[in-house]
């Protein structure tokens, strides 16, 4: 009997890792019906787990997915990037590019899954979806699933709370006592989690919620209490009378390390030694610098349901003007419409001041239209907006209801007594670290798909250049006038206004090849036939920008006859010829 049961289990295991046959599938709208790489998107993966998915995608779809190492982490791990495109169509390095990353903050883990879901969806949908097929013929996606693989693993496997570690694994002396990591969190009761400590105290400020014994309620001033809250599990490991004052990895913020408006620690808490002193960020910077075709970028963080764009500091308002703002607004507002619970916001104006942030470096130093998505929102629990008043209290109460009624009490550890070496008799309990900031499993794929759809819309609107028409006019005397109109069919220009002002990326070149060019000019007013001549190298006209949803017109005077080619060469808009 046991042998029969074991055989049955083995057969089931085999079925679970193999794609179904086509006759067993009824396609759900918007999803690949029978993916070659089967991935469960209702769970989280370690850094190695993400790399395994990337490897499987590249092996299953060699015509669409390439994986490369872009550098080493602080602890010596490989940082990987996936390049997703139709490699059989065009020059990959010259296609308009979209950069994506996640998990720069180690505890903000779902960015890794959202980024990898994007790669998976693009590769698997290419066979079934004409829109994706056309998109990957035109565009290239560069996806770094996790910027912070060392600390991602530490968050998942180590003794941490939902809020730690935020940084990477570089040792930092938080309390400046000359010791590092000597007094981090402790899993006191050995249950594999770091939850909260409470102690009975008639002068405490908390009582047990009579409707839910798991929850603590703060009493009004003057009312008697029952408990005092003592923070997360921990003890005084270094004998300095403090608990949990040095966190694992110390505190630095990888999103305050970028080389745009960077400020030192005494101005911007979390800044490290100097811009790009964090090796993982430096790897990304060098990768992006090697790919000037990147016109759009998104970075996945958590939490709060926000679509953020710069500037991070009010001092940088000048790096954005009305022209760029219109592009950001059009894309950001679309994001609000397809991601319920998310709000489009400007960092410095709607949140706080942040110096040395990734999105500011992308925009300020590379002229790339960039968003940061703060993933997950309490709205996802019961569809409430939680606006105004005591929002935090209402969210807290609903978290307990949600955990009980939808997670089947899987995310809360009941209060249990413990003899603390310094604090005496206490109780330990509370939410696990995987609840509060991270999407619960059944909400993970839904949120990933909506964010991916927003990202694809953004990528779709990187420049698409078309030579709309080429007109000839005989001028007599063996001379001919050739006029070409080049349109950008998408929202994002070939150069942001900030880029144009600071000449970050070289101009777009519109060339007439195969003809004897006597003169070349930009037509500044088509109706009034006004032009601006380029006297040097007239066959190759330099255009500072091809705006989104607009066109530019250039003109040449040529002598002689014969065939010729009009060629447009744009770093962010690609190469087109006619």
């Amino acid at each position: 009997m046991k042998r029969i049961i074991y055989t049955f289990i083995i057969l089931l295991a085999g079925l679970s890792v193999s794609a179904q046959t086509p006759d067993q599938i009824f396609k759900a709208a918007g999803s690949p019906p029978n993916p070659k790489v089967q991935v469960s998107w209702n769970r989280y993966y370690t850094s190695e787990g993400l790399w395994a998915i990337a490897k499987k995608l590249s092996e299953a779809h060699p015509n669409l997915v390439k994986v490369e190492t872009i550098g080493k982490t602080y602890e010596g791990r490989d940082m990987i990037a996936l390049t997703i495109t139709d490699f059989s169509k065009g020059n990959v390095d010259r296609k308009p590019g979209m950069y994506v990353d996640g998990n720069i903050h180690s505890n903000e883990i779902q960015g890794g899954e959202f980024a990898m879901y994007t790669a998976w969806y693009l590769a698997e949908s290419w066979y079934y979806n004409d829109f994706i097929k056309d998109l990957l013929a035109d565009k290239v996606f560069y996806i770094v699933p996790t910027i912070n693989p060392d600390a991602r693993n530490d968050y998942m496997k180590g003794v941490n709370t939902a809020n730690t570690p935020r940084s990477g694994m570089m040792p930092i002396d938080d309390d400046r006592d000359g010791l590092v990591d000597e007094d981090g969190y402790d899993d006191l009761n050995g249950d594999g989690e770091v939850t909260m400590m409470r102690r009975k105290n008639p002068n405490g400020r908390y009582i047990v919620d009579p409707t839910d014994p798991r929850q603590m309620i703060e009493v009004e001033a003057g009312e008697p209490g029952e408990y005092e809250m003592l923070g997360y599990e921990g003890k005084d490991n270094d004998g300095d009378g403090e608990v949990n004052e040095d966190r694992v990895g110390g505190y630095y913020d990888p999103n305050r390390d970028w080389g745009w408006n960077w400020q030192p620690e005494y101005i911007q808490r979390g800044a490290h030694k100097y811009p790009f002193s964090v090796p993982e960020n430096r790897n990304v910077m060098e990768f992006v610098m090697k790919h000037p075709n990147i016109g759009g970028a998104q970075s996945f963080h958590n939490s709060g349901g926000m679509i953020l764009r710069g500037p991070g500091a009010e001092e940088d308002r000048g790096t954005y003007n009305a022209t760029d703002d219109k592009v950001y607004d059009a894309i950001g507002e679309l994001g609000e419409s397809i991601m319920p619970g998310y709000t489009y916001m400007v960092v410095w104006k709607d949140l706080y001041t942040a110096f040395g942030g990734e999105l500011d470096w992308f925009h300020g130093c590379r002229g790339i239209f960039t968003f940061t998505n703060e993933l997950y929102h309490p709205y996802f629990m019961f569809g409430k907006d939680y606006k105004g008043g005591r929002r935090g209290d209402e969210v807290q109460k609903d978290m307990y209801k949600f955990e009980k009624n939808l997670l089947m009490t899987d995310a809360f550890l009941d209060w249990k007594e413990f003899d603390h070496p310094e604090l005496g008799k206490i109780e330990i309990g509370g939410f696990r670290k995987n609840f509060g900031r991270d999407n619960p499993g059944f909400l993970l794929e839904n949120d990933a798909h909506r964010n991916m759809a927003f990202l694809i819309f953004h990528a779709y609107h990187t420049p698409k250049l078309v030579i709309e028409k080429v007109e000839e006019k005989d001028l007599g005397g063996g001379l001919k006038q050739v006029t070409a109109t080049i349109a950008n069919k998408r929202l994002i220009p070939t150069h942001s206004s900030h880029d144009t002002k600071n000449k970050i990326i070289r101009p777009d070149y519109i060339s007439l090849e195969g003809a004897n060019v006597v003169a070349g000019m930009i037509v500044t007013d088509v109706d009034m036939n006004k032009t601006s001549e380029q006297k040097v190298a007239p066959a190759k006209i330099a255009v500072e920008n091809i705006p989104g949803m607009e066109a530019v017109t250039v003109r040449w005077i040529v002598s002689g006859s014969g065939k010729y080619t009009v060629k447009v060469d744009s770093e962010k808009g690609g190469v087109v010829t006619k």
Side-chain angles (χ1 to χ4, degrees):
M1 182 64 180
K2 287 183 179 179
R3 185 173 299 170
I4 294 173
I5 293 172
Y6 292 154
T7 303
F8 180 64
I9 291 171
I10 291 169
L11 286 172
L12 284 178
L15 287 173
S16 69
V17 298
S18 302
Q20 286 77 26
T21 58
D23 63 310
Q24 297 173 325
I25 300 295
F26 178 71
K27 186 180 184 305
S31 295
N34 199 22
K36 294 183 180 181
V37 179
Q38 298 281 339
V39 182
S40 295
W41 295 111
N42 62 351
R43 67 189 70 176
Y44 293 98
Y45 298 91
T46 64
S47 297
E48 290 76 16
L50 293 176
W51 298 333
I53 296 170
K55 183 180 179 182
K56 289 177 182 177
L57 284 174
S58 65
E59 291 172 348
H61 309 283
N63 59 317
L64 301 173
V65 182
K66 306 291 184 187
V67 180
E68 64 181 301
T69 299
I70 66 171
K72 295 288 188 179
T73 66
Y74 176 78
E75 290 188 341
R77 287 182 173 85
D78 287 333
M79 277 184 68
I80 63 165
L82 298 88
T83 299
I84 315 288
T85 190
D86 184 345
F87 285 92
S88 69
K89 300 290 178 66
N91 182 342
V92 173
D93 294 330
R94 299 312 312 276
K95 292 182 181 182
M98 181 76 189
Y99 172 84
V100 186
D101 70 37
N103 193 203
I104 189 172
H105 293 132
S106 52
N107 62 323
E108 301 183 5
I109 57 173
Q110 64 263 62
E113 278 66 30
F114 284 31
M116 190 60 78
Y117 178 86
T118 301
W120 175 86
Y121 186 91
L122 288 170
E124 297 291 353
S125 297
W126 182 87
Y127 302 92
Y128 310 100
N129 188 307
D130 288 340
F131 174 82
I132 299 298
K133 190 168 289 187
D134 292 341
L135 183 74
L136 294 185
D138 283 348
K139 312 290 186 184
V140 57
F141 291 77
Y142 304 109
I143 299 176
V144 179
T146 172
I147 292 187
N148 206 344
D150 295 345
R152 176 186 181 86
N153 278 10
D154 182 70
Y155 167 77
M156 291 181 171
K157 299 177 181 181
V159 178
N160 292 300
T161 73
N163 301 312
T164 63
R166 180 174 172 81
S167 59
M169 299 310 296
M170 289 184 181
I172 303 290
D173 177 15
D174 271 14
D175 58 356
R176 297 178 176 85
D177 63 357
L179 300 173
V180 175
D181 297 345
E182 78 280 14
D183 204 13
Y185 294 113
D186 297 279
D187 176 14
L188 296 174
N189 57 3
D191 61 3
E193 300 282 348
V194 175
T195 51
M196 302 298 292
M197 301 185 295
R198 72 182 186 185
R199 181 170 59 185
K200 286 189 175 182
N201 184 343
N203 297 313
R205 297 172 54 203
Y206 293 87
I207 60 172
V208 174
D209 186 343
T211 66
D212 188 338
R214 302 172 303 166
Q215 185 172 352
M216 305 300 295
I217 301 175
E218 187 172 3
V219 297
E220 299 290 339
E223 294 292 320
E226 183 182 2
Y227 281 93
E228 61 175 322
M229 301 304 295
L230 301 171
Y232 285 106
E233 288 179 68
K235 55 187 177 180
D236 181 13
N237 292 306
D238 57 356
D240 65 357
E242 300 285 341
V243 174
N244 295 337
E245 81 280 12
D246 267 351
R247 289 163 286 183
V248 175
Y251 182 83
Y252 69 87
D253 190 333
N255 204 32
R256 302 294 181 265
D257 179 67
W258 298 78
W260 178 268
N261 201 1
W262 181 90
Q263 301 293 331
E265 169 73 18
Y266 69 89
I267 293 176
Q268 176 68 80
R269 183 170 184 262
H272 203 38
K273 299 176 182 177
Y274 47 82
F276 299 115
S277 54
V278 177
E280 292 84 352
N281 291 356
R282 191 161 60 250
N283 294 337
V284 170
M285 177 270 290
E286 291 173 352
F287 179 83
V288 172
M289 294 294 290
K290 293 174 184 176
H291 295 85
N293 57 322
I294 295 173
Q298 288 194 21
S299 182
F300 291 133
H301 294 226
N302 80 32
S303 61
M306 293 175 278
I307 304 167
L308 301 178
R309 60 97 156 175
E314 186 174 7
E315 297 92 317
D316 280 335
R317 291 175 66 183
T319 62
Y320 296 74
N321 64 18
T323 303
D324 291 344
D325 285 348
K326 287 180 181 178
V327 176
Y328 275 105
D329 291 347
I331 298 172
E333 289 165 9
L334 184 281
E336 282 189 325
S337 72
I338 65 176
M339 297 192 295
Y342 282 78
T343 304
Y344 168 54
M345 306 168 75
V346 178
V347 175
W348 80 267
K349 185 169 66 174
D350 299 316
L351 285 179
Y352 45 66
T353 293
F355 299 109
E358 181 183 14
L359 64 79
D360 282 324
W361 180 81
F362 268 80
H363 179 91
C365 289
R366 303 307 298 155
I368 296 170
F369 287 85
T370 306
F371 292 92
T372 289
N373 289 8
E374 296 284 356
L375 309 172
Y376 189 66
H377 192 279
Y379 172 88
F380 299 161
M381 294 192 294
F382 299 115
K384 293 183 181 180
D385 285 337
Y386 299 105
K387 292 181 179 177
R390 295 170 63 86
R391 175 182 177 275
D393 290 349
E394 188 178 1
V395 170
Q396 185 77 3
K397 290 180 180 179
D398 279 351
M399 284 178 66
Y400 283 90
K401 294 177 185 176
F402 180 85
E403 192 271 344
K404 178 181 178 181
N405 297 326
L406 284 127
L407 304 185
M408 317 308 163
T409 70
D410 182 50
F412 191 93
L413 294 173
D414 290 331
W415 296 98
K416 294 182 179 179
E417 290 187 352
F418 181 80
D419 286 327
H420 193 284
E422 290 101 31
L423 303 175
K425 287 193 177 296
I426 64 169
E427 297 174 22
I428 298 173
F431 288 118
R432 301 175 188 268
K433 67 183 175 186
N434 65 355
F435 181 60
R437 300 181 70 103
D438 304 331
N439 296 63
F442 79 97
L443 293 176
L444 193 61
E445 184 169 357
N446 179 291
D447 201 12
H449 188 90
R450 288 181 182 275
N451 275 270
M452 179 270 299
F454 170 56
L455 187 157
I456 284 179
F457 176 82
H458 186 177
Y460 173 81
H461 276 290
T462 56
K464 182 174 177 62
L465 304 182
V466 176
I467 301 172
E468 285 197 322
K469 59 183 177 180
V470 179
E471 299 174 314
E472 295 181 357
K473 180 179 179 181
D474 190 352
L475 300 178
L479 298 177
K480 183 165 52 179
Q481 175 181 286
V482 179
T483 303
T485 300
I486 293 86
N488 182 355
K489 297 293 188 178
R490 300 292 185 262
L491 285 171
I492 295 177
T494 56
H495 298 73
S496 69
S497 296
H498 175 71
D499 177 354
T500 302
K501 178 181 177 181
N502 293 279
K503 295 180 170 52
I504 298 170
I505 302 296
R506 68 156 171 83
D508 303 320
Y509 294 122
I510 306 175
S511 305
L512 191 66
E513 299 179 346
N516 183 25
V517 176
V518 177
M521 61 208 75
I522 299 173
V523 181
T524 56
D525 190 325
V526 175
D527 295 326
M528 301 304 294
N529 198 31
K530 292 182 178 180
T531 62
S532 175
E533 184 179 1
Q534 179 180 297
K535 295 183 178 181
V536 177
K540 185 178 181 180
I541 298 175
V543 176
E544 69 175 14
N545 183 36
I546 305 176
M549 309 302 288
E550 294 186 27
V552 298
T553 301
V554 297
R555 181 173 293 160
W556 299 273
I557 307 299
V558 302
S559 63
S561 59
K563 295 183 178 180
Y564 55 84
T565 299
V566 176
K567 178 181 178 181
V568 183
D569 183 343
S570 169
E571 291 277 40
K572 293 182 180 178
V575 178
V576 293
T577 59
K578 188 171 184 178

